[in-house]
Amino acid sequence: MDGLNVSIGFFFLVVGVCQVLRWLSKRLLSPGTHGCLAREFLRMLMEIGPWGGGFSLDLVLTLLFLLSAVHGASFEGASANPTVSVQEFLLLESSLAAMVAKLLAQGVGTGTGWAVTRLYWSWELTQLHFIQNLIGPECSSSIRASLPHAAFVEGSCSFLFHLVFLKVRQSHPLYRVPALAAAVTFLTYTAGPYTGAFFNPALATATTFHCSGSSFWDYLQVYWLGPLAGMLAALLLFQGNIPRLFQKNLLYSQKSKYKVPKAKVTVQVEGDKPQRKRKVEKSNSKPCA
């Protein structure tokens, strides 16, 4: 119980620090810099910072739902996920420079968050942290399935997550936040035993790429190519096209939602009058003498 209290306290400490830093960056930085760099960096710091580990599955899922809900409610506009940033670029919602800036900020954020977490473990506030310090350098790969199976699992998780994200992204936060948090929690519970269910390339890079048991190319296929392929499939299924690449809708016909009333055919009725006049004129005409 003491370990749980310490981890929850650390969780709220990270949330509070990130909120203060976000408030300061919003006032000190230009809107473009804050939007592209600060929000993504702080959200990635918050994404990976509260990681503690060592609890039962139901408790971990509850904390994950809470963490996802806090993210969605507090960090407006920040995705903390490279696949979402690429999706925004493909939807013509951001420029190439903005996408690259967000990806760099996410990379720096994950590195900083992982460093903060390791520092937190080094304090050994609980017995679990002592164990984490012992096994940390000897960590094993999170891929516990064949390479094609693992890539398919990560791609499927990304596909389902992005379908939900595309469906609710314009909805009211009261509906959007719990929907996304529930989707992340469900996918983690379902796919966790096979790959860890990251479906977030930046998060996976910081937490598992350094572990032994799989090569860098294996990690790249599973945790980068898999989620990116899942995102592209979700975008194509939802939109029918990928606006940045092509405008033609391949899946859905473009039908107008407004009904156009049918025009009344009055040509024949109106055309009868001149014909009648001509007939009358012919009948009234007198032969020339």
Side-chain angles (χ1 to χ4, degrees), residues 19-89:
Q19 287 294 91
V20 171
L21 292 176
R22 184 173 70 93
W23 180 80
L24 290 175
S25 65
K26 198 171 184 179
R27 281 156 178 75
L28 297 177
L29 300 177
S30 64
T33 304
H34 172 74
C36 292
L37 299 177
R39 287 189 304 188
E40 293 294 339
F41 168 78
L42 293 174
R43 180 156 181 182
M44 282 310 310
L45 175 62
M46 185 178 169
E47 179 85 32
I48 199 173
W51 275 43
F55 301 117
S56 60
L57 179 61
D58 56 346
L59 183 56
V60 169
L61 293 177
T62 301
L63 293 176
L64 178 61
F65 179 85
L66 177 62
L67 177 63
S68 301
V70 171
H71 284 177
S74 58
F75 281 80
E76 71 284 349
S79 63
N81 192 330
T83 59
V84 176
S85 299
V86 175
Q87 176 184 274
E88 292 173 350
F89 171 72

Side-chain angles (χ1 to χ4, degrees), residues 42 58 70 89 110 185 192 202-203 211 220 242 248 265 284 288:
L42 293 174
D58 56 346
V70 171
F89 171 72
T110 51
T185 306
L203 185 60
C211 295
L220 192 67
I242 300 178
K248 182 180 179 180
V265 181
N284 293 336
C288 298

Side-chain angles (χ1 to χ4, degrees), residues 23-214:
W23 180 80
L24 290 175
S25 65
K26 198 171 184 179
R27 281 156 178 75
L28 297 177
L29 300 177
S30 64
T33 304
H34 172 74
C36 292
L37 299 177
R39 287 189 304 188
E40 293 294 339
F41 168 78
L42 293 174
R43 180 156 181 182
M44 282 310 310
L45 175 62
M46 185 178 169
E47 179 85 32
I48 199 173
W51 275 43
F55 301 117
S56 60
L57 179 61
D58 56 346
L59 183 56
V60 169
L61 293 177
T62 301
L63 293 176
L64 178 61
F65 179 85
L66 177 62
L67 177 63
S68 301
V70 171
H71 284 177
S74 58
F75 281 80
E76 71 284 349
S79 63
N81 192 330
T83 59
V84 176
S85 299
V86 175
Q87 176 184 274
E88 292 173 350
F89 171 72
L90 295 176
L91 286 172
L92 305 178
E93 295 177 355
S94 66
S95 64
L96 178 61
M99 181 193 70
V100 172
K102 289 180 180 180
L103 294 179
L104 291 175
Q106 290 164 3
V108 175
T110 51
T112 305
W114 186 242
V116 169
T117 302
R118 297 300 296 271
L119 176 63
Y120 165 58
W121 287 345
S122 68
W123 296 339
E124 296 183 359
L125 301 178
T126 68
Q127 186 177 4
L128 293 174
H129 296 162
F130 176 73
I131 297 174
Q132 290 281 9
N133 287 330
L134 289 179
I135 67 175
E138 304 292 332
C139 65
S140 58
S141 173
S142 298
I143 302 176
R144 293 179 287 274
S146 64
L147 195 61
H149 185 196
F152 176 78
V153 168
E154 284 292 310
S156 299
C157 289
S158 178
F159 173 77
L160 295 174
F161 169 76
H162 280 277
L163 276 183
V164 176
F165 178 78
L166 289 168
K167 181 66 176 178
V168 303
R169 64 181 183 142
Q170 301 296 341
S171 303
H172 192 276
L174 185 63
Y175 307 105
R176 183 182 69 250
V177 171
L180 290 175
V184 170
T185 306
F186 171 76
L187 293 173
T188 301
Y189 171 76
T190 304
Y194 304 102
T195 62
F198 290 99
F199 52 95
N200 183 328
L203 185 60
T205 301
T207 57
T208 195
F209 271 42
H210 64 281
C211 295
S212 60
S214 298

